[in-house]
Amino acid sequence: MKGLHYTALVITSVWMVFCAYCLFFVSDLSTRQIIMFMRSFSLGGLFVAVIIPVAFYSQLTHKKNYLITLSYALFWCFVLIATVYLLELCLPVSLRGRFSPQYLELFLIYFSLFFAILSIGRLLQTTGILCSTLLLFLITNVLWTNFFVKNWAIDKDFIINCILYSNPIIGVSRCYTNFDILRTQNLYELCVIGANYPFNYPKVYEYIFMYLGIGIFCIVTSVCWNSCRKM
């Protein structure tokens, strides 16, 4: 367990140093670059969610350690949001309201995602690598599903909705007003959905309820399963 705590400490320390570096040099950026950086920073924070289950991979099956890990994830949510807020302060006053995220929504979607991922790991009673790999595949699904979108002959709306609802990075991007992530320059060139097919983004609360539902289902199933095994 000590080794896992040290791993978590290293991850946290590296992230804090990176945050400090960003805040120190962000004043050299233009307003547009700062806005892009803020959004990229909050979206990039999802990859921390990929790392956390690995750091605590063998301990998620124990209730106490599961709660410790969830508390650690909660701490990450606060660090991320505090950093985004500090970055927002670098914007001119006239632009802050226009480009700032909805902080409550950002916090809830991050915490509900952590809750879902860690609960899946506890239910499966397996290594966090599986959860991390699954999350990584979901984050990047707008890229590797291009083939299926192009060749899905029956109902393209169905597969597009599956991609949008299952992708956490889409959910986080909806916390920013008027942020059309699938039509940003890079994704527009790499993802066929934004360029060629009509779609409607899901609402932020739909992601939150979905992640919370998944997490609660996994916890209830895990508790019932363990109770049946002890009988």
Side-chain angles (χ1 to χ4, degrees):
M1 188 65 182
K2 288 184 178 180
L4 298 176
H5 284 164
Y6 289 143
T7 302
L9 181 61
V10 170
I11 295 172
T12 304
S13 300
V14 171
W15 182 262
M16 297 293 277
V17 170
F18 175 70
C19 292
Y21 174 86
C22 294
L23 291 172
F24 183 77
F25 287 100
V26 75
S27 59
D28 294 332
L29 302 176
S30 65
T31 299
R32 181 174 178 275
Q33 288 174 323
I34 292 175
I35 293 168
M36 292 176 61
F37 181 76
M38 281 177 58
R39 292 171 174 172
S40 300
F41 190 92
S42 60
L43 295 174
L46 281 169
F47 289 96
V48 178
V50 175
I51 297 172
I52 283 181
V54 175
F56 294 88
Y57 67 89
S58 64
Q59 307 298 326
L60 296 178
T61 56
H62 303 289
K63 180 181 178 180
K64 179 180 178 181
N65 293 323
Y66 167 79
L67 293 176
I68 291 174
T69 308
L70 193 61
S71 299
Y72 179 69
L74 181 63
F75 166 74
W76 270 108
C77 294
F78 281 117
V79 169
L80 176 70
I81 291 174
T83 309
V84 174
Y85 179 73
L86 290 175
L87 290 172
E88 183 188 343
L89 294 180
C90 297
L91 291 173
V93 176
S94 60
L95 296 177
R96 290 176 190 172
R98 181 180 177 184
F99 293 104
S100 62
Q102 302 297 319
Y103 285 102
L104 178 60
E105 292 180 351
L106 189 62
F107 171 79
L108 290 176
I109 198 169
Y110 261 100
F111 183 70
S112 60
L113 175 63
F114 279 123
F115 174 59
I117 292 297
L118 296 176
S119 299
I120 291 173
R122 186 165 187 262
L123 173 63
L124 297 179
Q125 298 186 0
T126 184
T127 64
I129 295 176
L130 178 61
C131 296
S132 299
T133 303
L134 172 63
L135 184 57
L136 185 61
F137 268 92
L138 293 178
I139 288 174
T140 58
N141 69 3
V142 294
L143 304 179
W144 56 262
T145 55
N146 282 343
F147 172 82
F148 299 101
V149 174
K150 290 179 180 179
N151 296 281
W152 194 269
I154 302 174
D155 188 359
K156 292 186 185 296
D157 291 339
F158 172 75
I159 190 171
I160 289 174
N161 284 332
C162 288
I163 293 169
L164 297 180
Y165 274 93
S166 63
N167 192 318
I169 206 168
I170 301 294
V172 172
S173 73
R174 303 310 298 151
C175 296
Y176 285 87
T177 305
N178 300 322
F179 184 24
D180 190 354
I181 188 172
L182 291 182
R183 294 191 176 93
T184 51
Q185 182 175 351
N186 292 333
L187 276 184
Y188 190 81
E189 296 173 355
L190 297 173
C191 175
V192 298
I193 297 176
N196 301 308
Y197 301 99
F199 66 92
N200 292 312
Y201 286 112
K203 303 295 184 182
V204 176
Y205 70 84
E206 293 180 294
Y207 288 99
I208 295 171
F209 288 150
M210 181 176 65
Y211 296 144
L212 289 176
I214 292 172
I216 293 172
F217 172 79
C218 291
I219 289 297
V220 171
T221 304
S222 177
V223 171
C224 293
W225 174 254
N226 290 333
S227 299
C228 292
R229 291 177 62 184
K230 293 178 181 178
M231 294 178 62

